[in-house]
Amino acid sequence: MQPIIKTYVIPGDDFTHAGEASGKVKAMLKQLGYDSDAVRRIAIAMYEAEINMVIHADGGKATVEIHPDRVELTLQDSGPGIEDVELAMQEGYSTAPDEVRALGFGAGMGLPNIKKYTDDMKIESIVGTGTKIYMLVKAGKTS
Amino acid sequence: MTVKDLCDKLSLTVLTCGDRLNRETNGCYIGDLLSWVMGRAREDAAWITVMGNINSVAVAKLADLSCIILCEKASLDEDARAQADANGIVILSGEDPAYELALKLYEASKS
């Protein structure tokens, strides 16, 4: 069966609209009948990746592929890249600026949360070029 | 326990979505760092926080939390209020600090 493919543009430096794309994906997956735990994990992982692009990369693009047994998400930006991916994956490590922390972000939990909530995750990042995050969540339909 | 029961037993004020108080609520999570909340709070939990901004609404929605309780009468931004109403997110306000609210919530859940 052909996957359903959707793409979303994530606006940069815009915290008021951050989460709209993940909200739409969540609503669509719920409507398609995917199980609620998987939908919740996908929504949170995607929101974390969205927020990272808003904070660090002036936005980017998200592609969502919905298969009968899984959902694959790729979020790609043309931001500054991550110098040390291993360090960035550690809980509590953050390079977010103070004004972003005042909004409640920058806890250094974004990438760890993505890892926690997905079944597979890959980060490709080139300093000065950008970052691509791939996520896979196994998800089936309950109805 | 429904959000309405919670609201009555903890003497909370309803700030948004007064028509959606029949939702079930179970347990609570206290925190102001959004990624901590998304990483740790369980589905249907009430979320006690001082963060009344638009991003809190997104977190409550994406993480399937039953409601946001702003403790110590923390303020709610106008754009957050509008977003919560548009997305069906119940926001409540209480005078007590987070600890007291959580204690009362625990007692209410036992009765």
Side-chain angles (χ1 to χ4, degrees):
Chain A
M1 194 198 279
Q2 290 290 315
I4 300 170
I5 300 176
K6 297 274 179 189
T7 57
Y8 302 89
V9 174
I10 313 297
D13 203 20
D14 181 357
F15 287 96
T16 34
H17 291 98
E20 276 185 7
S22 26
K24 282 179 189 164
V25 169
K26 185 180 184 191
M28 180 169 57
L29 291 172
K30 270 172 99 170
Q31 195 164 13
L32 289 169
Y34 281 87
D35 84 87
S36 61
D37 175 63
V39 171
R40 181 175 190 262
R41 291 191 290 121
I42 292 162
I44 293 175
M46 184 173 171
Y47 182 56
E48 290 284 16
E50 250 190 90
I51 287 294
N52 276 348
M53 292 204 303
V54 173
I55 295 174
H56 299 288
D58 200 24
K61 193 176 89 172
T63 306
V64 182
E65 279 187 30
I66 303 169
H67 297 264
D69 63 342
R70 67 190 188 279
V71 176
E72 295 180 41
L73 305 100
T74 307
L75 284 91
Q76 189 156 16
D77 66 58
S78 306
I82 303 169
E83 275 183 32
D84 186 336
V85 172
E86 206 178 319
L87 187 59
M89 286 300 299
Q90 284 182 16
E91 287 191 7
Y93 179 80
S94 174
T95 58
D98 286 348
E99 63 269 26
V100 170
R101 289 172 196 262
L103 296 172
F105 297 112
M109 292 292 289
L111 292 176
N113 272 353
I114 293 174
K115 188 174 167 60
K116 176 180 177 177
Y117 283 130
T118 56
D119 294 299
D120 190 21
M121 165 197 191
K122 291 187 186 79
I123 301 178
E124 289 170 26
S125 190
I126 300 169
V127 172
T129 303
T131 300
K132 182 158 101 174
I133 297 188
Y134 165 84
M135 306 175 230
L136 182 149
V137 176
K138 292 175 190 164
K141 291 188 185 181
T142 51
S143 54
Chain B
M1 182 165 67
T2 64
V3 174
K4 169 99 174 62
D5 298 331
L6 178 83
C7 199
D8 293 344
K9 289 176 176 172
L10 276 64
S11 308
L12 304 173
T13 307
V14 180
L15 300 183
T16 63
C17 291
D19 56 340
R20 298 182 80 106
L21 303 180
N22 337 340
R23 179 180 170 146
E24 282 295 313
T25 181
N26 187 13
C28 80
Y29 190 86
I30 302 173
D32 304 318
L33 293 175
L34 305 183
S35 289
W36 274 89
V37 178
M38 285 191 285
R40 307 290 165 95
R42 296 200 182 126
E43 189 175 346
D44 294 329
W47 173 23
I48 302 175
T49 184
V50 294
M51 280 290 176
N53 66 34
I54 197 163
N55 306 112
S56 312
V57 176
V59 166
K61 181 182 168 194
L62 295 169
D64 290 322
L65 305 176
S66 62
C67 60
I68 298 172
I69 304 174
L70 294 173
C71 59
E72 300 186 70
K73 290 197 142 183
S75 64
L76 175 64
D77 295 349
E78 276 313 307
D79 56 356
R81 183 189 296 271
Q83 190 78 355
D85 274 326
N87 284 280
I89 303 298
V90 177
I91 303 182
L92 309 167
S93 169
E95 287 182 20
D96 290 330
Y99 175 68
E100 275 78 5
L101 284 174
L103 279 180
K104 287 182 183 175
L105 193 151
Y106 176 76
E107 292 300 327
S109 70
K110 296 288 161 199
S111 61

